[in-house]
Amino acid sequence: MTEKILLKGNIALAKGAIAAGCRYYFGYPITPQNDIPEYLSAELPKIGGTFIQAESEIASINMVLGASASGVRAMTSSSGPGISLMQEGMSYMAGSELPGLVVNVMRVGPGLGGIAPTQGDYFQATRGGGHGDYFNIVLAPASVQEMFDLAIKAFELSDKYRNPAMILCDAILGQMKEPVVLEETKTVIPPLKPWALTGSKGRKPQFLKTLYLSDGEQEAHNLELKEKYDRLREEDVLFETKGLDDSEMFIVAFGTVSRIAKTAIQMAKREGIRVGMIRPITLFPFPTEVIRETAKKTPRVLVVEMNTGQMLQDVKLSIENSVKLRFYGRPGGGIPTPEDMLREIRVMFNEEGF
Amino acid sequence: MKKVFSRPKSLIDRQTHFCPGCTHGTAHRLVADAIDHFGVQEETIGVSGVGCAVFMYDYFAIDAIEAPHGRAPAVATGIKRVHPKKIVFTYQGDGDLASIGTAETIHTANRGENITIIFINNTVYGMTGGQMAPTTLLGQQTTTTPYGRNFQNDGYPIRMAEMLATLEGVAYSTRVSMHNAKEVLKAKKAVRRAFQMQIEGMGLTFVELLSACHTNWRVKPLEGQKRVEEELIPYFPLGVFKERKGKDFL
Ligand SMILES: Cc1ncc(C[n+]2csc(CCOP(=O)(O)OP(=O)(O)O)c2C)c(N)n1
Ligand code: SF4
Ligand SMILES: [Mg+2]
């Protein structure tokens, strides 16, 4: 099937999950992601799946935990306040090494905030978010096509590493419609999971836990988890680059902002300023290497986000102090325009005179 | 003395970490007995709450998982929906089930998830050192009610078995005790009944076991059993509060 169909981002994501073989969805309503549970509540029963509207996001994530422990691909989706309630469960999933997909269609905060688009949950997503020493695998789509593709990718990575994965996107991506090519969807058979709880028939009983009380046990467990995160950093960093070869400076932006940045880059080109871009697709693991190497050649970086500077910290950690770094951010539902970005590009250009 | 039971095969032969004489050990045997009785050891998945019984997987020779504090019913829901033919049970204390996990308990029961909940009501938080539980009796001293539980400040002890019996999704709700051999035998029947009803697909089954935590009650084990009989049972009456006779769902 290579024909293009017009889909809303949230629906593309739900279709991606089904394509990945996910048949278990547990969630609690919250705007701006309600299309996902609404769509899946209609589709999953038709294909032998299970949809439960849970009593809370705490229950949702723990149902995901239980289903995942039983060996299947399972997911939930939410936004800000609900994602906060899931942090306990996600910490337990990381601790007992359970895969599973959590979708965060971000809304502004703190608190109840509002439903305007934002990237304000970057820290929560990429720093673990819950208690303990762990990370989530975090993927940031920038198009409706990627809402579909990265849902599949998220399940693959989550299973590969036995670690929760998160899709981090904003309301614009969730709500906008774009043409999408759906891959052949019928063939994905999720991998067998010999560690899953299925009843102990024909084998020794097995268990999943997060409590380690005897001497050194917890430290050994944390070091094992670290090895996993190191492997992720080595094997599964995803990013997109644009026009880096002959650029005089480059932008780092993810998700929706990277789309706006492309327009700004074209406007700058018309003024004779060559601007490249690196778009992290995995926010954890972060594409540190490519940013570091690019900044060696092109030591002028503009970070643009829809927050007050969160990914900025990861960019800072990737580059030398001598690299000229500028940040432009719009929090609380403000959306940076191409003109805003062009203005920032000009400031850097004039200051540096490159 | 009559031997009530020998070690069930689905219990691992090892010393427990429970205080000597703790009725958690008895409750473990009751659950293992039911598993053996129905021959479902290899079909059963257990979910432990957080409390003194968190180490279920160390004692039961079955597949098991540790849930976050209070979330066992939600975890069990996820498991049961994936494995509807397996036997799934949770084992939870009063803090776990009736305080931090109240929402999960009520809504899992209300959905009529076909699982069994084993509820250990010992009127304190055993694991964390004897603080007030939602089931702590009025006047009872705990480490956080040093002057005794006072309803004006702390509210009243919750009767979970009665409360859950009001929900349509619940097939069986009972309260039993383990303070003497006769009651243990009755408790054994109740746990078996709960598992049987789960096997028959009748809905959520709930067995509340009155238990002694003599360590945190600061009494000798035998006095603990006496307290169950003399103080707990008058407030937490034993009995069956709901028992579905057939699959008479609405
Ligand atoms: C979110 C969270 N809060 C608090 C705790 C600490 N904690 C562990 S067990 C427990 C209460 C245990 O009491 P109960 O459920 O009655 O079990 P018992 O030990 O009495 O059998 C508490 C408060 C925790 N593990 N997680
Ligand atoms: S603290 Fe109480 S509940 Fe826990 S093992 Fe000891 S007697 Fe049993
Ligand atoms: Mg207790």
Side-chain angles (χ1 to χ4, degrees), chain A residues 287-340:
Chain A
T288 303
E289 201 66 27
V290 65
I291 292 174
R292 178 184 300 131
E293 292 310 310
T294 307
K296 276 183 192 161
K297 240 176 358 113
T298 314
R300 291 168 212 98
V301 188
L302 173 64
V303 175
V304 189
E305 296 180 75
M306 291 197 287
N307 58 43
T308 51
Q310 299 193 16
M311 180 182 67
L312 173 66
Q313 300 296 333
D314 285 332
V315 174
K316 274 188 185 165
L317 290 171
S318 306
I319 58 178
E320 302 293 331
N321 278 341
S322 56
V323 174
K324 180 87 184 163
L325 178 65
R326 193 174 172 82
F327 173 72
Y328 180 67
R330 294 286 308 274
I335 301 170
T337 62
E339 290 75 21
D340 289 331

Coordinates of all heavy atoms in Angstrom, one line a residue, chain A residues 287-340:
Chain A
P287 N 21.5 13.0 20.2 CA 22.5 13.0 19.2 C 23.7 13.9 19.5 O 24.0 14.8 18.7 CB 21.8 13.4 17.9 CG 20.6 14.1 18.4 CD 20.2 13.6 19.7
T288 N 24.4 13.6 20.6 CA 25.5 14.4 21.0 C 26.6 14.5 20.0 O 27.2 15.5 19.7 CB 26.0 13.8 22.3 OG1 24.9 13.7 23.2 CG2 27.2 14.5 22.9
E289 N 27.0 13.3 19.5 CA 28.1 13.1 18.6 C 28.0 14.1 17.4 O 28.9 14.8 17.1 CB 28.1 11.7 18.2 CG 29.5 11.2 17.7 CD 30.5 11.1 18.7 OE1 30.2 11.0 19.9 OE2 31.7 11.3 18.4
V290 N 26.9 14.0 16.7 CA 26.8 14.8 15.4 C 26.8 16.3 15.7 O 27.3 17.1 15.0 CB 25.5 14.3 14.6 CG1 24.2 14.7 15.4 CG2 25.5 15.0 13.3
I291 N 26.2 16.6 16.9 CA 26.2 18.1 17.2 C 27.6 18.5 17.6 O 28.1 19.5 17.1 CB 25.2 18.3 18.4 CG1 23.8 18.1 17.9 CG2 25.4 19.7 19.0 CD1 22.8 18.2 19.0
R292 N 28.4 17.6 18.3 CA 29.7 18.0 18.7 C 30.6 18.1 17.4 O 31.3 19.1 17.2 CB 30.3 16.9 19.5 CG 31.8 17.2 19.9 CD 32.4 16.0 20.7 NE 31.7 15.8 21.9 CZ 31.3 14.6 22.4 NH1 31.6 13.5 21.6 NH2 30.6 14.5 23.5
E293 N 30.5 17.2 16.5 CA 31.3 17.2 15.3 C 31.0 18.4 14.4 O 31.8 19.0 13.8 CB 31.2 15.9 14.5 CG 31.8 14.7 15.3 CD 33.2 14.9 15.8 OE1 34.1 15.4 14.9 OE2 33.5 14.7 17.0
T294 N 29.7 18.6 14.3 CA 29.2 19.7 13.4 C 29.7 21.1 14.0 O 30.2 22.0 13.3 CB 27.7 19.7 13.3 OG1 27.3 18.5 12.8 CG2 27.3 20.8 12.3
A295 N 29.6 21.2 15.3 CA 30.0 22.4 16.0 C 31.5 22.7 15.8 O 32.0 23.8 15.9 CB 29.6 22.5 17.4
K296 N 32.3 21.6 15.7 CA 33.7 21.8 15.5 C 34.0 22.6 14.2 O 34.9 23.4 14.1 CB 34.4 20.5 15.4 CG 34.7 19.9 16.8 CD 35.5 18.6 16.7 CE 35.6 17.9 18.1 NZ 35.9 16.5 18.0
K297 N 33.2 22.2 13.1 CA 33.4 22.8 11.8 C 32.7 24.1 11.7 O 33.1 25.1 11.1 CB 32.7 21.8 10.8 CG 33.6 21.3 9.8 CD 33.0 20.3 8.8 CE 31.6 19.9 9.0 NZ 30.6 20.2 8.1
T298 N 31.5 24.2 12.3 CA 30.6 25.3 12.2 C 30.3 25.8 13.6 O 29.2 25.4 14.2 CB 29.3 24.9 11.5 OG1 29.7 24.2 10.3 CG2 28.5 26.1 11.1
P299 N 31.1 26.6 14.3 CA 31.0 26.8 15.7 C 29.9 27.9 16.0 O 30.1 28.7 16.9 CB 32.4 27.2 16.1 CG 33.0 27.8 14.9 CD 32.3 27.2 13.7
R300 N 28.8 27.9 15.4 CA 27.7 28.8 15.7 C 26.4 28.0 15.7 O 26.0 27.5 14.7 CB 27.6 29.9 14.7 CG 28.8 30.9 14.7 CD 28.8 31.8 13.5 NE 30.2 32.1 13.1 CZ 30.9 31.5 12.2 NH1 30.4 30.5 11.5 NH2 32.2 31.8 12.0
V301 N 25.8 28.0 16.9 CA 24.6 27.1 17.1 C 23.4 28.0 17.6 O 23.6 28.7 18.6 CB 24.9 26.0 18.1 CG1 23.7 25.0 18.1 CG2 26.1 25.2 17.7
L302 N 22.3 27.8 17.0 CA 21.1 28.4 17.5 C 20.1 27.3 17.9 O 19.8 26.5 17.1 CB 20.4 29.3 16.4 CG 19.0 29.9 16.7 CD1 19.1 30.9 17.9 CD2 18.5 30.6 15.5
V303 N 19.7 27.3 19.2 CA 18.8 26.3 19.7 C 17.4 27.0 19.8 O 17.3 28.1 20.4 CB 19.2 25.8 21.0 CG1 18.1 24.8 21.6 CG2 20.5 25.1 20.9
V304 N 16.4 26.4 19.2 CA 15.1 27.0 19.2 C 14.1 25.9 19.8 O 14.1 24.8 19.4 CB 14.5 27.4 17.9 CG1 13.2 28.2 18.0 CG2 15.6 28.3 17.1
E305 N 13.4 26.3 20.8 CA 12.4 25.4 21.5 C 11.1 26.1 21.8 O 11.1 27.3 22.0 CB 13.0 24.8 22.7 CG 14.3 24.0 22.6 CD 14.8 23.4 23.9 OE1 14.2 22.5 24.4 OE2 15.8 24.0 24.4
M306 N 10.1 25.3 22.1 CA 8.9 25.9 22.6 C 8.9 25.7 24.1 O 8.1 24.9 24.7 CB 7.6 25.3 22.0 CG 7.5 25.7 20.5 SD 5.9 25.4 19.9 CE 5.9 23.6 19.7
N307 N 9.9 26.3 24.8 CA 10.0 26.2 26.3 C 11.1 27.2 26.6 O 11.6 28.0 25.7 CB 10.3 24.8 26.8 CG 11.6 24.3 26.2 OD1 12.6 25.0 26.1 ND2 11.6 23.0 25.7
T308 N 11.5 27.3 27.9 CA 12.5 28.3 28.3 C 13.9 27.8 28.2 O 14.8 28.4 28.8 CB 12.2 28.9 29.7 OG1 12.0 27.7 30.6 CG2 10.9 29.7 29.7
G309 N 14.1 26.7 27.5 CA 15.5 26.2 27.4 C 15.8 24.9 28.0 O 16.4 24.9 29.1
Q310 N 15.3 23.8 27.5 CA 15.5 22.5 28.1 C 16.5 21.7 27.2 O 17.5 21.3 27.7 CB 14.1 21.8 28.3 CG 13.2 22.6 29.2 CD 12.0 21.9 29.7 OE1 11.9 20.7 29.6 NE2 11.0 22.6 30.2
M311 N 16.1 21.4 26.0 CA 17.1 20.7 25.1 C 18.4 21.5 25.1 O 19.5 20.9 24.9 CB 16.5 20.5 23.7 CG 17.4 19.7 22.8 SD 16.8 19.6 21.1 CE 16.7 21.2 20.6
L312 N 18.3 22.8 25.2 CA 19.4 23.6 25.3 C 20.5 23.0 26.2 O 21.7 23.1 25.8 CB 19.0 25.0 25.8 CG 20.1 26.0 26.1 CD1 20.8 26.4 24.8 CD2 19.5 27.3 26.8
Q313 N 20.1 22.5 27.3 CA 21.1 21.9 28.2 C 21.9 20.7 27.6 O 23.1 20.6 27.7 CB 20.4 21.4 29.5 CG 19.7 22.4 30.3 CD 20.6 23.5 30.8 OE1 21.8 23.2 31.1 NE2 20.1 24.7 31.0
D314 N 21.2 19.9 26.8 CA 21.8 18.8 26.1 C 22.7 19.3 25.0 O 23.8 18.7 24.8 CB 20.8 17.8 25.6 CG 20.1 17.0 26.7 OD1 20.8 16.8 27.7 OD2 19.0 16.6 26.6
V315 N 22.3 20.3 24.3 CA 23.2 20.9 23.3 C 24.5 21.4 24.0 O 25.6 21.2 23.5 CB 22.5 22.0 22.5 CG1 23.5 22.6 21.5 CG2 21.3 21.4 21.8
K316 N 24.3 22.1 25.1 CA 25.5 22.7 25.8 C 26.4 21.6 26.2 O 27.7 21.7 26.1 CB 25.0 23.4 27.1 CG 24.6 24.8 26.9 CD 24.4 25.5 28.2 CE 23.9 26.9 28.0 NZ 23.3 27.5 29.2
L317 N 25.9 20.5 26.6 CA 26.7 19.3 27.0 C 27.4 18.7 25.8 O 28.4 18.0 26.0 CB 25.9 18.3 27.8 CG 25.4 18.6 29.1 CD1 24.4 17.6 29.6 CD2 26.5 18.8 30.1
S318 N 26.9 19.0 24.6 CA 27.5 18.4 23.5 C 28.7 19.2 22.9 O 29.5 18.6 22.1 CB 26.4 18.2 22.4 OG 25.3 17.5 22.9
I319 N 28.7 20.5 23.1 CA 29.7 21.3 22.4 C 30.7 21.9 23.4 O 30.6 21.9 24.6 CB 28.9 22.5 21.7 CG1 28.1 23.3 22.7 CG2 28.0 21.9 20.6 CD1 27.4 24.5 22.1
E320 N 31.8 22.4 22.8 CA 32.8 23.1 23.5 C 32.3 24.5 24.0 O 31.5 25.1 23.3 CB 34.1 23.3 22.6 CG 34.7 22.0 22.1 CD 35.3 21.1 23.1 OE1 35.7 21.6 24.2 OE2 35.3 19.9 22.9
N321 N 32.9 25.0 25.0 CA 32.6 26.3 25.5 C 32.8 27.4 24.5 O 32.1 28.4 24.5 CB 33.4 26.6 26.8 CG 32.7 26.0 28.0 OD1 31.6 25.6 28.0 ND2 33.5 25.8 29.1
S322 N 33.8 27.2 23.6 CA 34.2 28.2 22.7 C 33.1 28.4 21.6 O 33.1 29.4 20.8 CB 35.5 27.8 22.0 OG 35.4 26.5 21.5
V323 N 32.2 27.4 21.4 CA 31.2 27.5 20.4 C 30.2 28.6 20.7 O 29.7 28.7 21.9 CB 30.5 26.1 20.2 CG1 29.3 26.3 19.2 CG2 31.4 25.1 19.7
K324 N 29.9 29.4 19.8 CA 28.9 30.5 20.0 C 27.5 29.9 20.0 O 27.1 29.2 19.1 CB 29.0 31.5 18.8 CG 28.1 32.6 18.9 CD 28.7 33.8 19.7 CE 27.7 34.9 19.8 NZ 28.1 35.8 20.9
L325 N 26.8 30.1 21.1 CA 25.5 29.4 21.3 C 24.5 30.5 21.6 O 24.7 31.3 22.5 CB 25.6 28.4 22.5 CG 24.3 27.7 22.9 CD1 23.9 26.7 21.7 CD2 24.6 26.8 24.1
R326 N 23.4 30.4 20.9 CA 22.2 31.3 21.2 C 21.0 30.5 21.3 O 20.8 29.4 20.7 CB 22.1 32.3 20.0 CG 21.2 33.4 20.3 CD 21.2 34.5 19.1 NE 20.2 35.4 19.4 CZ 20.3 36.5 20.2 NH1 21.5 36.7 20.8 NH2 19.3 37.3 20.4
F327 N 20.1 31.0 22.2 CA 18.8 30.3 22.4 C 17.7 31.2 22.2 O 17.6 32.4 22.6 CB 18.8 29.8 23.9 CG 17.4 29.2 24.2 CD1 17.0 27.9 23.7 CD2 16.5 29.9 25.0 CE1 15.8 27.4 24.0 CE2 15.3 29.3 25.3 CZ 14.9 28.1 24.8
Y328 N 16.7 30.6 21.5 CA 15.4 31.4 21.4 C 14.3 30.4 21.7 O 14.1 29.3 21.2 CB 15.2 31.9 19.9 CG 13.9 32.6 19.8 CD1 13.7 33.8 20.4 CD2 12.8 32.1 19.0 CE1 12.4 34.5 20.3 CE2 11.6 32.7 18.9 CZ 11.4 33.9 19.6 OH 10.2 34.6 19.5
G329 N 13.5 30.8 22.7 CA 12.4 29.9 23.2 C 11.1 30.6 23.4 O 11.1 31.8 23.8
R330 N 10.0 30.0 23.1 CA 8.7 30.5 23.4 C 8.0 29.5 24.3 O 7.6 28.4 23.8 CB 7.9 30.7 22.1 CG 8.4 31.8 21.1 CD 8.2 33.2 21.6 NE 6.8 33.5 21.9 CZ 5.9 33.8 21.1 NH1 6.2 34.0 19.8 NH2 4.6 34.1 21.5
P331 N 7.8 29.8 25.5 CA 7.1 28.9 26.4 C 5.6 29.2 26.5 O 5.1 30.1 25.8 CB 7.6 29.2 27.8 CG 7.9 30.7 27.7 CD 8.3 31.0 26.3
G332 N 4.8 28.3 27.1 CA 3.4 28.6 27.5 C 2.5 28.8 26.3 O 1.5 29.5 26.4
G333 N 2.8 28.1 25.2 CA 1.9 28.1 24.0 C 2.3 29.0 22.9 O 1.7 29.1 21.9
G334 N 3.3 29.9 23.2 CA 3.9 30.7 22.1 C 4.6 29.8 21.1 O 5.3 28.9 21.4
I335 N 4.4 30.2 19.8 CA 5.0 29.4 18.8 C 6.0 30.3 18.0 O 5.6 31.4 17.5 CB 3.9 28.9 17.8 CG1 2.9 28.0 18.5 CG2 4.6 28.1 16.6 CD1 1.7 27.6 17.7
P336 N 7.2 29.9 17.9 CA 8.2 30.7 17.2 C 7.9 30.8 15.7 O 7.6 29.8 15.2 CB 9.5 30.0 17.5 CG 9.2 28.7 18.0 CD 7.8 28.7 18.5
T337 N 7.9 32.0 15.2 CA 7.6 32.1 13.8 C 8.9 32.0 13.0 O 9.9 32.3 13.5 CB 6.9 33.4 13.5 OG1 7.8 34.5 13.8 CG2 5.6 33.6 14.2
P338 N 8.8 31.8 11.7 CA 10.0 31.8 10.8 C 10.7 33.2 11.0 O 11.9 33.3 11.0 CB 9.5 31.6 9.4 CG 8.2 30.9 9.6 CD 7.6 31.4 10.9
E339 N 9.9 34.3 11.1 CA 10.4 35.6 11.2 C 11.2 35.8 12.5 O 12.3 36.4 12.5 CB 9.3 36.7 11.1 CG 8.6 36.8 9.8 CD 7.7 35.7 9.4 OE1 7.2 35.0 10.4 OE2 7.4 35.4 8.2
D340 N 10.6 35.2 13.6 CA 11.4 35.2 14.8 C 12.7 34.6 14.7 O 13.8 35.1 15.1 CB 10.6 34.4 15.9 CG 9.3 35.1 16.4 OD1 9.3 36.3 16.3 OD2 8.4 34.4 16.8

